[in-house]
Amino acid sequence: MTVRLRFAPSPTGYLHVGGARTALFNWLYVRRHGGAFILRIEDTDVERSSADMVTGILDSLRWLGLDWDEGPGVGGPHAPYFQSERLSKYREAAAHLVADGHAYHCYCTPDELKARREAVESTGGAWRYDRRCRELSADEIARRDAAGEAHVVRFRVPDGETSFDDLVHGRITVAHDVIEDFVLVRSDGHPTYQLSVVIDDVEMEMTHVVRGDDHISNTPKQILIYRALGAPVPAFAHVPLILGPDKKRLSKRHGATSVGEYEGQGYLPEAMVNFLALLGWSPGSGDQEVFTREELVARFTLEGISGGNAVFNPEKLDWFNQQYLARMSPDAIVARLRPTLEAAGLWRSDLDSARQAWMAQVVELVRPRVRKLTDFIPLLRPFLDDEVVRDPAAEAKYLNAAGVHEHLQAWRDRLASVEPFDAATTEAALRALADERGIKAGPLIHATRVAVTGQAVSPGLFDVVALVGRDRVIARLDAALHAAGVSRS
RNA sequence: GUCCCCAUCGUCCAGCGGUCAGGACGCGGCCCUUUCAAGGCCGAGACUCGGGUUCGAUUCCCGAUGGGGACGCCA
């Protein structure tokens, strides 16, 4: 039997890292076993759902490379894949459950329920629906329906207990007396999550349900529905939640939580996938941490998911991103960088054509100093912009240090004739000049760095000088000397 | 409050009765060095507690404690 798993987000917000990891685990399992990955949009809550959020979630999933075999955009044998377009199925199923005695109409209003709940809780008791409408006579039901009284449909929870073998937690048993007669259909006719999720998972022939830990307590309720329907129960795997540094459920106040934000900050999707895969999951033995997508697919097992919640560690994400950047070809990095450079106004049309080789060298040079794509911007600026803006503090400390101007002027003149103008030769020239003048090379190097890059820190100076090129280096030295009030010799 | 889940370095994991308790991120030091990174080497750092079971428990069982989740006409 081929496995069928699904990711079923509710479009009430962007795809957050927790959802992304759940989707990833589903996807990895499907790709590992050659099954089908279904994407279903759970938008039965009309109030909170929006089409924009659907688009955003789909974009994030695509960015991560988690492609689906059935669902929005690709269709499939069980279309539609939006719950809002499947309402009649739920209504029909609910009617059957009522007819079979597995569910019943409840006429209690929200206000009445609230009052009764508060009364019970004020005495310290635990409230569960008091089943007031559970045994209404057929006559009374007919009368109240005829009178047009609003009602919900509640599931008739039987006595006993329900157990299931969770693929990450093992056997979980829940006594039915802690489960209330939950609502299947709201008074406006819309199904609740409990109903729609089961109906769709049955109809879409899901073999496994891999979802967040927060659904563990829903599972017995849903199994009860499967049984009432006479439908086969899928295997369940509940993956632990992702927490913030304070061990609280990851949320906005912990910083970036949506996949889109990470994309915008310059993270690579492959790094995000690798990081998320290893957050709460382990391939078992071995010290390997960096895995290609194919390796993850080949090694993924649900049993490898740990039972406890995991704290999100942004530093490690950074490290993964750096690892991927280090393994990529400079040309590939330039391609990924293009939108970022364009946004910063630093893209030049010849960077991937006439100056491709040069650009590759520049990227190679700054790469070890970068963790995210956006980190490239300040480092690349001295190479891509003709003018540099000097950092005042760096200027004061190195460029205007005592006695530096005179040496810098001589160095500028020496550079004009150095041949070839490469890192090794310019370095030899600077050191020779320093020797001749009886000074240390350091101050001259630092002053040159500030003049050429505007910054106190940069990659190896002579590599920078060689790649910025003779004309621009000399122009920047002149500009720096001029700004310092040194007249041209 | 009730029910459920979880428990190894600060964090993420390995361990599945006998290990010097291993790796990674982060942190500290050294090397390299013109700065900053990167890289190499070294280091600090954990089995929550109490009972059992056993020749022997980090590992199995029970309890406590701690953390998390769920208790909606949200999903």
Side-chain angles (χ1 to χ4, degrees):
Chain A
M1 183 168 87
T2 140
V3 303
R4 293 176 58 81
L5 283 77
R6 74 341 186 244
F7 178 56
S10 182
T12 55
Y14 296 103
L15 180 66
H16 55 90
V17 294
R21 188 185 59 156
T22 300
L24 173 63
F25 286 169
N26 274 280
W27 184 90
L28 287 171
Y29 189 83
V30 167
R31 296 298 173 242
R32 164 79 197 273
H33 297 283
F37 181 46
I38 290 86
L39 178 62
R40 183 176 70 222
I41 305 299
E42 308 219 322
D43 54 353
T44 53
D45 183 354
V46 241
E47 304 284 295
R48 301 196 303 149
S49 300
S50 86
D52 282 354
M53 290 306 175
V54 173
T55 307
I57 290 169
L58 263 44
D59 286 347
S60 288
L61 251 14
R62 289 194 189 98
W63 181 70
L64 289 168
L66 306 183
D67 57 322
W68 52 97
D69 306 301
E70 295 175 27
V74 302
H78 302 287
Y81 292 89
F82 285 81
Q83 290 193 325
S84 58
E85 297 169 19
R86 304 171 60 82
L87 298 178
S88 60
K89 293 177 189 294
Y90 313 132
R91 206 161 308 185
E92 196 177 311
H96 278 300
L97 288 171
V98 171
D100 294 346
H102 291 298
Y104 59 91
H105 288 188
C106 167
Y107 303 90
C108 301
T109 67
D111 287 346
E112 289 167 0
L113 256 15
K114 185 165 180 255
R116 268 140 66 193
R117 158 185 288 258
E118 282 168 1
V120 170
E121 288 179 344
S122 68
T123 63
W127 161 264
R128 269 181 292 282
Y129 173 61
D130 54 17
R131 300 181 168 181
R132 184 167 298 200
C133 298
R134 202 186 217 214
E135 307 299 345
L136 298 179
S137 68
D139 285 349
E140 176 160 14
I141 293 170
R143 179 183 64 72
R144 297 176 77 158
D145 282 347
E149 245 187 272
H151 69 269
V152 298
V153 175
R154 285 184 185 272
F155 188 82
R156 187 187 303 272
V157 177
D159 292 336
E161 60 177 34
T162 291
S163 297
F164 62 100
D165 294 299
D166 190 277
L167 265 19
V168 349
H169 294 292
R171 193 167 191 77
I172 295 176
T173 301
V174 175
H176 290 179
D177 55 16
V178 302
I179 304 175
E180 71 171 5
D181 282 359
F182 53 96
V183 174
L184 296 174
V185 181
R186 301 178 243 232
S187 53
D188 66 359
H190 276 76
T192 60
Y193 163 75
Q194 309 290 3
L195 208 221
S196 59
V197 76
V198 173
I199 299 304
D200 285 346
D201 284 342
V202 168
E203 184 170 315
M204 296 181 181
E205 303 177 273
M206 294 303 142
T207 57
H208 298 67
V209 171
V210 179
R211 77 232 293 198
D213 240 356
D214 48 344
H215 285 295
I216 286 183
S217 57
N218 286 325
T219 306
K221 298 178 189 174
Q222 293 168 15
I223 290 174
L224 254 14
I225 300 178
Y226 280 99
R227 294 206 180 121
L229 254 23
V233 181
F236 290 98
H238 288 94
V239 332
L241 273 17
I242 297 180
L243 274 26
D246 58 356
K247 300 288 180 76
K248 300 295 183 193
R249 197 171 173 162
L250 198 63
S251 68
K252 296 280 183 290
R253 68 197 162 80
H254 294 114
T257 55
S258 77
V259 171
E261 286 174 277
Y262 285 96
E263 178 182 3
Q265 286 177 24
Y267 289 91
L268 300 168
E270 39 277 79
M272 185 60 100
V273 163
N274 199 153
F275 169 72
L276 252 21
L278 261 34
L279 187 61
W281 173 77
S282 162
S285 57
D287 292 341
Q288 189 177 346
E289 298 260 342
V290 178
F291 294 94
T292 63
R293 187 172 295 257
E294 293 67 34
E295 287 173 324
L296 289 174
V297 168
R299 295 172 195 234
F300 188 75
T301 63
L302 293 172
E303 291 70 27
I305 297 174
S306 71
N309 295 335
V311 173
F312 190 83
N313 183 349
E315 285 79 26
K316 187 134 190 188
L317 206 210
D318 282 355
W319 178 79
F320 272 112
N321 212 56
Q322 191 173 49
Q323 294 301 309
Y324 277 88
L325 246 14
R327 287 165 168 72
M328 228 179 259
S329 76
D331 286 347
I333 291 177
V334 172
R336 306 271 191 128
L337 220 37
R338 183 169 174 167
T340 308
L341 288 174
E342 286 175 338
L346 289 177
W347 179 256
R348 305 291 180 264
S349 62
D350 59 353
L351 291 181
D352 57 359
S353 51
R355 284 199 291 167
Q356 180 181 0
W358 173 81
M359 185 60 181
Q361 286 180 276
V362 174
V363 166
E364 197 75 83
L365 187 60
V366 304
R367 157 157 63 185
R369 277 151 257 262
V370 151
R371 288 169 95 77
K372 313 188 282 285
L373 291 177
T374 45
D375 294 339
F376 273 102
I377 298 301
L379 291 169
L380 251 27
R381 197 174 286 284
F383 297 93
L384 302 179
D385 254 354
D386 285 333
E387 300 300 317
V388 301
V389 176
R390 287 183 297 277
D391 170 49
E395 192 166 19
K397 183 172 180 186
Y398 295 115
L399 209 45
N400 297 332
V404 163
H405 294 150
E406 178 194 341
H407 301 307
L408 204 57
Q409 182 66 55
W411 166 230
R412 175 251 182 252
D413 293 339
R414 185 73 58 97
L415 271 180
S417 59
V418 161
E419 213 52 71
F421 196 82
D422 61 21
T425 313
T426 52
E427 174 164 11
L430 182 138
R431 293 192 188 283
L433 179 72
D435 272 354
E436 290 165 22
R437 307 192 135 228
I439 59 169
K440 284 186 176 281
L444 202 45
I445 289 173
H446 289 128
T448 306
R449 185 195 319 283
V450 177
V452 175
T453 70
Q455 301 295 319
V457 300
S458 81
L461 179 70
F462 301 101
D463 292 314
V464 172
V465 161
L467 287 169
V468 168
R470 191 196 316 262
D471 293 348
R472 290 196 295 185
V473 167
I474 288 177
R476 289 175 194 181
L477 285 170
D478 284 340
L481 287 166
H482 180 72
V486 178
S487 58
R488 297 292 308 276
S489 57

